[in-house]
Amino acid sequence: MSAGPAGGPAPLEPPPGRSVLDITLAMFWKRKLAVAAAVVLGLAFYAAVWAPLLATSSPLHFRGFDRGAATEAARLARLELQDVAGALGGGGGWTVEKVEGAFDVVDFQLDRMEGSLADAMASRVAALRAGVAAAREGWRSRAGGGAGAPAGADPAAVAALAPLAAELRDGLRPGEGDLVPRTRWPAFRALDALDVLMMAASLLLPVGCLWLRGGKGRRRRPGRAAAVILWPSLAAGLLALLIAPARPDLADYRRGIAEGTIVAEAVTFAPVPFGINENAVENKFEKPFTAGSPHLLGTDENGRDMLCRLLWGARVSLSVGFLAVGIYVLIGVVVGAVAGFFGGWTDILVSRVVEWVICFPVFILVLVIAAFLQGRTLWGMDPPQLVVIMVVLGVTGWPGVARLVRAEFLRMVNQDFVQAARALGAGRRRLMFGHLLPNAMAPVLVAATFGVAGAILTESALSFLGLGITVPKPSWGGMLFAAHGYEQTSVWIFLWPGLAIFMVITCYNLVGEALRDALDPRLRQ
């Protein structure tokens, strides 16, 4: 093998008609174990994305009516309106944000009423909703200040809300004859914009892969394949945010149908018809694969379904891995590119910073930062624990990627294609990100694959120590933490999340090793 411009082995040129992507995919496809691992990761990804429709206590489809829902919704809406009127009358001391939240509750309860009533009564509820919306807009136009500002007294709003509350108290008393069967989609209505975006992306992913596969005489274009997935998914998420905001249905359909309070003409439940925090103490410590039991993988110490919590835990664990790695890859690529391209004192200074950061034990640093931020507010906000963990893992894992990118830039910065681009007048930014960076991404992609596995393991360890995701939102590490003390009596409680962590990390490592071999030009035949 001849020596390259920097003294190392010269990269093998792809045969005519075959791109580097073709050769990489062919090399990867030969590793059957890695292909199987990629399939397992794909199944885990789809299970995590579709968990809101695979494991939920709300029906996917329901046609019928709830005998007590309309009456209860009318009572709750009336009480909330009275509270808002009292606060705007000067006796509540509410903030603008709290008043907005109360109006949202009223609108949600009126929507529940309207969904079960006959046309005549439903039209009265629709008119009532319009009156509440008009009163709300009038209050908004007169209210000043931000979300945390005092709402203040507003006699005009109180005067507008009083007859609406009276109508709920005296005029709208739905009885049995006012109820008619309606078709609803409770599980779908509970989806938020991020859920819709990810589901749309998962449906378009096979289309993008077919586009990337190409055909005879057609070039593979990863950028176009990514655009096929990205832009329609963003449009779907934006439409969900603007047109159909998430409205979770809190009714217990299974119990209501069993007790007769909910009349169902047709109902379709999810494959795992349980909620993530649905406690059934009478079913606690139920063993997996019990004949006649709806809990396939058993239940935990609170009677919660293990399969449901595993599916929802995958959303947390996998998202932590992807987003944390995305953060530190972005930081590492920028820092390493600057150090390798400019060299000299810039390289010396950046290298010392990288060495200083890499000296710290990462896990100990993550523990300290997570413990320090737990329960604290940042800029007046209470940051979600998931976001804190992702940011902490991202800002502590970049030195390895920075060193990889720096080494690749130093190897290629004086090669012929860079000199030719410089002679043609390419600027620094074009040289760095248009010519050098695409050729330096192979080792970064491999490191990112291994990094996802490491981030999942770190999040699991944090949750096991009580510094990660806490109830009611499950994560695999948090499930292990909750199973502590039941190892001798109920082995399945920690077996399933532990096995899930082991399988996903092993699969990521297998895929990473296969990518490393496929992207190494010295191993290409």
Side-chain angles (χ1 to χ4, degrees):
M1 184 178 290
S2 60
L12 293 180
E13 295 295 332
R18 299 190 71 192
S19 66
V20 175
L21 182 58
D22 293 326
I23 299 175
T24 302
L25 291 177
M27 293 285 292
F28 182 84
W29 190 255
K30 293 179 181 179
R31 303 287 293 269
K32 301 302 181 184
L33 190 59
V35 172
V39 171
V40 172
L41 291 177
L43 292 175
F45 165 75
Y46 275 91
V49 169
W50 290 87
L53 299 181
L54 292 175
T56 175
S57 57
S58 298
L60 303 178
H61 166 263
F62 174 81
R63 178 168 179 79
F65 59 86
D66 189 341
R67 299 180 191 275
T71 304
E72 179 66 12
R75 186 183 69 85
L76 294 176
R78 175 176 55 83
L79 293 177
E80 201 72 30
L81 276 181
Q82 290 175 348
D83 289 343
V84 173
L88 296 181
W94 285 15
T95 62
V96 171
E97 182 179 17
K98 190 173 181 180
V99 174
E100 290 280 6
F103 274 119
D104 288 336
V105 172
V106 173
D107 187 65
F108 175 69
Q109 298 299 341
L110 293 178
D111 182 67
R112 285 181 61 198
M113 287 184 65
E114 191 176 355
S116 298
L117 297 175
D119 292 338
M121 184 70 78
S123 62
R124 295 178 61 185
V125 176
L128 187 63
R129 288 183 69 184
V132 172
R136 183 177 187 176
E137 288 300 323
W139 166 77
R140 279 178 177 172
S141 64
R142 293 184 295 271
D154 192 340
V158 175
L161 293 176
L164 301 176
E167 172 75 5
L168 279 172
R169 183 182 66 248
D170 302 326
L172 289 176
R173 292 186 177 180
E176 191 75 19
D178 299 318
L179 300 175
V180 294
R182 300 279 187 179
T183 299
R184 306 178 196 169
W185 308 86
F188 290 92
R189 293 201 64 186
L191 300 177
D192 58 21
L194 182 59
D195 291 329
V196 175
L197 187 150
M198 294 303 298
M199 289 178 181
S202 69
L203 292 176
L204 292 170
L205 184 59
V207 179
C209 291
L210 290 175
W211 189 286
L212 187 62
R213 182 180 179 182
K216 188 175 182 179
R218 192 175 74 184
R219 291 183 60 190
R220 301 175 189 263
R221 298 183 181 274
R224 290 188 179 180
V228 168
I229 301 172
L230 179 63
W231 296 116
S233 303
L234 288 176
L238 183 61
L239 285 176
L241 180 64
L242 298 177
I243 298 176
R247 285 184 177 274
D249 193 340
L250 304 180
D252 191 343
Y253 283 89
R254 285 188 292 111
R255 179 173 296 180
I257 293 173
E259 295 176 351
T261 58
I262 296 179
V263 178
E265 293 184 356
V267 61
T268 303
F269 284 103
V272 185
F274 303 101
I276 57 174
N277 205 35
E278 185 178 344
N279 298 341
V281 181
E282 64 275 8
N283 295 329
K284 66 179 182 180
F285 297 121
E286 187 173 298
K287 293 182 179 181
F289 309 114
T290 302
S293 172
H295 304 284
L296 182 64
L297 300 184
T299 59
D300 62 7
E301 71 280 3
N302 292 316
R304 297 172 295 192
D305 185 78
M306 291 295 296
L307 180 55
C308 173
R309 293 181 65 79
L310 278 176
L311 291 173
W312 282 87
R315 292 169 65 88
V316 173
S317 298
L318 294 179
S319 62
V320 164
F322 275 109
L323 296 179
V325 169
I327 292 172
Y328 78 63
V329 163
L330 179 63
I331 298 174
V333 163
V334 173
V335 172
V338 170
F341 183 80
F342 291 101
W345 284 104
T346 303
D347 182 25
I348 293 173
L349 179 62
V350 172
S351 298
R352 300 294 82 77
V353 173
V354 170
E355 292 170 0
W356 179 73
V357 175
I358 212 169
C359 284
F360 287 98
V362 174
F363 188 70
I364 301 299
L365 186 61
V366 170
L367 277 177
V368 172
I369 297 176
F372 176 76
L373 292 178
Q374 192 175 37
R376 293 178 179 267
T377 58
L378 297 176
W379 300 290
M381 297 182 296
D382 186 15
Q385 284 182 299
L386 182 60
V387 175
V388 170
I389 291 175
M390 289 187 296
V391 172
V392 168
L393 293 178
V395 299
T396 55
W398 60 268
V401 175
R403 297 179 76 177
L404 283 174
V405 176
R406 170 185 173 273
E408 290 295 308
F409 267 60
L410 289 176
R411 181 179 65 85
M412 294 186 299
V413 71
N414 292 319
Q415 289 188 7
D416 292 342
F417 74 95
V418 179
Q419 298 300 329
R422 185 178 281 120
L424 291 173
R428 292 178 176 178
R429 186 174 62 181
R430 183 172 180 82
L431 285 174
M432 290 175 63
F433 300 106
H435 294 278
L436 286 169
L437 186 59
N439 291 281
M441 286 302 294
V444 175
L445 292 177
V446 177
T449 307
F450 288 114
V452 172
I456 292 173
L457 190 62
T458 303
E459 183 277 327
S460 302
L462 285 174
S463 297
F464 180 78
L465 295 175
L467 296 174
I469 309 301
T470 56
V471 293
K473 185 177 293 185
S475 72
W476 292 341
M479 293 173 68
L480 283 176
F481 174 72
H484 181 65
Y486 302 104
E487 297 87 350
Q488 301 298 323
T489 57
S490 305
V491 64
W492 64 90
I493 297 181
F494 72 89
L495 174 63
W496 300 127
L499 186 62
I501 294 170
F502 171 76
M503 288 294 295
V504 168
I505 290 177
T506 302
C507 289
Y508 269 115
N509 288 335
L510 290 173
V511 171
E513 290 179 1
L515 281 177
R516 180 191 60 198
D517 295 344
L519 291 169
D520 191 343
R522 292 170 294 186
L523 298 179
R524 294 176 185 159
Q525 300 297 328

